[in-house]
Amino acid sequence: MHDLMLSTSAKNAWHDFLANQSNLGHARRILVGEDIDSHVNACMKSARATIARVRRDLGGLLPRVIIEIGCSAGLNCLALKEAFPDAEVIGIEPEKEALHAAESLRHGWIGGWPRFVRGVGESLSLTNQSVDLILCHTVIEHVQSVSQTIAEMARVLSPCGVAHLEAPNYLWPYEPHLEVWTIPKLGKAFVEICARLQGRGSKVHFLEHLQFVTPFQLEKIFTRHNLAWQNRTGDKIRAVLKGYGEVKQYKSISRLLGLLGRVGLKEPVALAILASGIYPSVLYSFRHGPTN
C-alpha cells in the first residue's frame, strides 16, 4: 500500500475541506498530524483498516457495484477500489468541498478511480437491485430521514447484496459529535443543557440536524423492508469477552468485559448487553430476507 502524494491543488482542496466547519458531518473538523499530507495519509490508513474489517464481515462476497452513502472526502472509496479493483465504486456525498477534496487525489493515484456523485441517501440515482455492497458509516445519524434512506438502500440492493451500516448508538450516554456525556432518551434540549454545562455550548447548533438512532429503531425499519440483519456489535462484544478485542475508547469497559469472560460469563453477558441495547455504536450488516 502506497502513501498518497498530494499536489499543491490537492492540498488546497483539503485545506478548504477541513476549513468548512459548517458541514453536517463533524461539529469540529481538526487536522490530524503536522500537515495536510500526514492528515490525509493517517485517514487513508484508517480507511484501509475499515475496509479490511468490512471484507471480513462480508465473507466471500465479490461485489460488482459498490456505493458509499456519505463518502465525505472519498478515502473509503479509494480503499474499496484497492480491495475490489474490478468493482465499480461510487461515492455519494452532498458536501461540495468534500467532493472537491476527493477528486483532487486523482492525480498520482495508482489503479482504478471511483466515481463521485453529489447526492443524498434519501434519493439514490441508481436502478433497482443494482448494487452489491452499500457502505453507510457514521452517516445515518446525519440524514433527514432515516427510514427513507434505508428504504432507498433496500431498493437498490441486489438480491445477493449486503449493506454495512455503522453509527453512534443514542442509547449510550455519550454524544460523540459534541463530545458530551448525557442521559439517553431525554431529547435534544437536555443534550444541549449537558453540552453547555460541559463547555461545548458553541456547538449546540449541530444538534439540530442529528437523528438520535438506536438499535431497536433501526431493527424495526429493517423488518418493515424485509431486510435480514446481523448485529455486528455482538461479534465485537464476544471478541472482547474472549480477550482478543477491545472497546478502543473505553479501556476500563474492555478490562471489565475481559474479566467477566475469564470467569465463564461470556455468552450471558453478551446476550444481556445486546438485549439492553446499551453500547456505544450500532454495527449492522443486512440483506434481503424475511428473518434476521
Side-chain angles (χ1 to χ4, degrees):
M1 299 291 184
H2 63 284
D3 281 350
L4 301 179
M5 304 298 292
L6 274 68
S7 65
T8 300
S9 61
K11 291 178 183 180
N12 290 336
W14 275 81
H15 179 273
D16 292 343
F17 167 68
L18 291 170
N20 181 28
Q21 299 294 342
S22 63
N23 72 88
L24 297 182
H26 297 84
R28 184 170 59 103
R29 276 187 179 154
I30 58 174
L31 184 72
V32 177
E34 298 179 355
D35 52 32
I36 295 290
D37 289 273
S38 59
H39 173 90
V40 172
N41 279 292
C43 293
M44 188 66 205
K45 181 179 179 181
S46 177
R48 285 167 171 150
T50 293
I51 301 311
R53 177 167 51 81
V54 170
R55 288 191 75 177
R56 290 194 297 271
D57 288 348
L58 294 178
L61 181 71
L62 293 175
R64 295 165 299 173
V65 179
I66 304 170
I67 66 170
E68 182 180 17
I69 297 174
C71 68
S72 188
L75 297 183
N76 279 344
C77 288
L78 298 187
L80 282 164
K81 195 63 182 174
E82 287 180 333
F84 303 102
D86 296 328
E88 179 184 8
V89 178
I90 305 167
I92 300 165
E93 169 61 42
E95 184 189 341
K96 66 180 188 300
E97 290 86 354
L99 291 174
H100 187 206
E103 290 287 2
S104 75
L105 299 174
R106 181 191 291 262
H107 178 72
W109 174 255
I110 299 172
W113 186 253
R115 177 159 62 96
F116 295 105
V117 177
R118 194 170 186 189
V120 295
E122 293 90 341
S123 180
L124 300 173
S125 56
L126 296 157
T127 57
N128 294 355
Q129 300 187 345
S130 61
V131 179
D132 304 305
L133 173 59
I134 300 174
L135 206 69
C136 185
H137 284 192
T138 61
V139 169
I140 200 72
E141 75 273 22
H142 297 290
V143 302
Q144 290 188 358
S145 171
V146 174
S147 181
Q148 179 59 26
T149 299
I150 293 175
E152 277 290 271
M153 294 166 75
R155 180 184 67 80
V156 303
L157 197 61
S158 70
C160 296
V162 179
H164 205 275
L165 182 148
E166 300 187 0
N169 178 4
Y170 282 91
L171 292 180
W172 186 253
Y174 184 75
E175 205 302 301
H177 301 88
L178 273 62
E179 302 175 291
V180 297
W181 291 96
T182 184
I183 300 174
K185 305 295 287 183
L186 293 185
K188 293 182 180 182
F190 184 78
V191 176
E192 179 177 341
I193 292 171
C194 294
R196 294 188 186 282
L197 290 174
Q198 294 172 55
R200 298 287 193 270
S202 63
K203 298 296 182 181
V204 294
H205 65 278
F206 194 80
L207 290 168
E208 294 174 5
H209 83 279
L210 286 177
Q211 307 290 339
F212 283 6
V213 294
T214 70
F216 304 125
Q217 171 203 13
L218 292 172
E219 289 173 9
K220 286 181 181 178
I221 298 173
F222 297 156
T223 300
R224 191 183 311 149
H225 295 287
N226 294 317
L227 296 168
W229 72 88
Q230 182 171 350
N231 188 339
R232 297 285 175 180
T233 299
D235 301 338
K236 186 172 184 178
I237 292 169
R238 289 181 176 92
V240 176
L241 286 163
K242 291 176 181 177
Y244 57 83
E246 66 174 355
V247 186
K248 291 183 179 179
Q249 293 182 322
Y250 302 100
K251 303 292 187 183
S252 58
I253 292 177
S254 288
R255 289 192 292 270
L256 175 60
L257 290 176
L259 176 62
L260 292 171
R262 287 194 294 274
V263 297
L265 295 175
K266 297 182 183 68
E267 197 58 20
V269 170
L271 292 174
I273 293 172
L274 291 172
S276 74
I278 302 174
Y279 37 82
S281 301
V282 292
L283 314 170
Y284 287 99
S285 59
F286 59 85
R287 61 179 73 226
H288 291 293
T291 59
N292 67 306

